[in-house]
Amino acid sequence: MRLKIFGERNTSTNAMRSVFAKNYPQIELLPATVLDIAPESHKTIQQFDKLRRGLPDPRLSIPEKEAHIDAVFADTGLLNAWKHSALNFDNDESLPHDVYIILMVRHPMSWLLSLFRKPYHAIYPLEDKFEDFLTQCWPTVARDRLNKIITTPIDLWNLKLESYKRFYECYSDTGQVRIIKFEDFAWSQKSAISGACRDLQLSTENFIELTQSTKEGRKDVNWYRNYYQSEMWRIEVSQLGWQILDHKLDRELSRYFNYVC
């Protein structure tokens, strides 16, 4: 069986992949990043990063770097798409019977806070204040599969999750697509993936939990459980921030994924 995991930026797709790789080596994990598709690009990307650090304006080399990565994904289909891609694929293309897809989703405000702190693939300079960041211009990259439009961080969540909704509804009858909430995964990895494991006929009896963050070693599983179970991130958002989200968020879409703002 082959497994593909999609999730918006900052939704722990790396951790999910690591959990499956650790517990179920018999599952083939389909490509997720540029280095999975084109390992030879590693040196080129490193060169862009070194160049960026040596420039007076560290953002000058980012468009070239992003264009290089976009070129790798230019002709890939669903199975080799970027892990953060919108799922705007032709619905008449049948999902191979041996492919299972997990869609990871995250509370919009929690996700926006994370994107503000770690603005992966940001091309424009970022606003200093979170409230201003929420509606600033955000150019999408080609591999986002959003026609390289210039949007905003809030609308980026709306657009990506709308594509997840369409994709899920298109293939839900096949039993090959499952939605998993980031917060559920943070609380209990075993419980969060148990439904997918049943679909894939995998046992969770001897499940081994991922105990450290794949990106931040100082944060362990207990930190994530406490932070997201208690929704501690809520106190980090000002009243103005909530008002902006309330005005711009697709409420129907948020409710579809069982998120209350």
Side-chain angles (χ1 to χ4, degrees), residues 186-249:
W187 172 247
S188 171
Q189 298 165 29
K190 179 179 178 179
S191 176
I193 70 167
S194 61
C197 288
R198 285 195 301 271
D199 295 342
L200 294 167
Q201 298 182 347
L202 299 172
S203 172
T204 58
E205 183 176 354
N206 298 311
F207 184 82
I208 302 173
E209 194 169 59
L210 185 70
T211 58
Q212 293 294 133
S213 168
T214 57
K215 293 187 177 179
E216 297 184 70
R218 62 187 177 85
K219 295 179 179 179
D220 63 12
V221 66
N222 293 318
W223 185 94
Y224 281 97
R225 280 186 183 136
N226 179 58
Y227 186 79
Y228 290 105
Q229 178 68 11
S230 304
E231 295 191 329
M232 294 173 63
W233 48 266
R234 285 183 177 272
I235 64 175
E236 301 171 37
V237 183
S238 67
Q239 183 178 0
L240 176 58
W242 286 108
Q243 289 173 349
I244 294 171
L245 184 72
D246 184 62
H247 182 63
K248 298 291 185 180
L249 182 69

Side-chain angles (χ1 to χ4, degrees), residues 100-104 168 175-180 192-199:
Y100 190 86
I101 291 182
I102 290 175
L103 309 178
M104 287 195 77
Y168 175 74
Q176 293 173 262
V177 183
R178 181 172 286 269
I179 297 170
I180 295 179
I193 70 167
S194 61
C197 288
R198 285 195 301 271
D199 295 342

Side-chain angles (χ1 to χ4, degrees), residues 98-206:
D98 66 334
V99 172
Y100 190 86
I101 291 182
I102 290 175
L103 309 178
M104 287 195 77
V105 300
R106 182 172 179 169
H107 188 287
M109 185 61 91
S110 170
W111 178 79
L112 287 160
L113 273 170
S114 184
L115 185 66
F116 178 64
R117 296 186 183 116
K118 296 180 179 179
Y120 298 117
H121 318 297
I123 295 176
Y124 284 2
L126 301 175
E127 296 287 351
D128 294 330
K129 294 182 178 180
F130 178 61
E131 294 83 359
D132 296 328
F133 166 79
L134 291 172
T135 55
Q136 79 162 80
C137 291
W138 185 284
T140 58
V141 293
R143 62 188 180 279
D144 276 312
R145 297 187 64 87
L146 293 171
N147 297 318
K148 296 190 71 175
I149 61 170
I150 296 177
T151 184
T152 68
I154 293 178
D155 278 333
L156 185 62
W157 188 92
N158 289 335
L159 290 166
K160 289 288 183 76
L161 272 292
E162 175 61 31
S163 79
Y164 286 11
K165 177 178 179 287
R166 290 195 305 268
F167 186 88
Y168 175 74
E169 290 179 346
C170 178
Y171 292 108
S172 60
D173 290 345
T174 69
Q176 293 173 262
V177 183
R178 181 172 286 269
I179 297 170
I180 295 179
K181 297 174 75 171
F182 167 88
E183 295 82 5
D184 292 342
F185 183 74
W187 172 247
S188 171
Q189 298 165 29
K190 179 179 178 179
S191 176
I193 70 167
S194 61
C197 288
R198 285 195 301 271
D199 295 342
L200 294 167
Q201 298 182 347
L202 299 172
S203 172
T204 58
E205 183 176 354
N206 298 311

Side-chain angles (χ1 to χ4, degrees), residues 79-90:
L79 302 189
N80 291 323
W82 188 41
K83 62 182 179 179
H84 303 313
S85 169
L87 300 182
N88 297 323
F89 294 91
D90 293 336

Side-chain angles (χ1 to χ4, degrees), residues 45-58 60-62 64:
I45 293 171
Q46 281 188 322
Q47 289 171 351
F48 277 121
D49 289 338
K50 288 178 181 178
L51 176 63
R52 183 184 63 187
R53 288 192 292 269
L55 290 172
D57 180 353
L60 287 179
S61 70
I62 289 182
E64 291 85 358

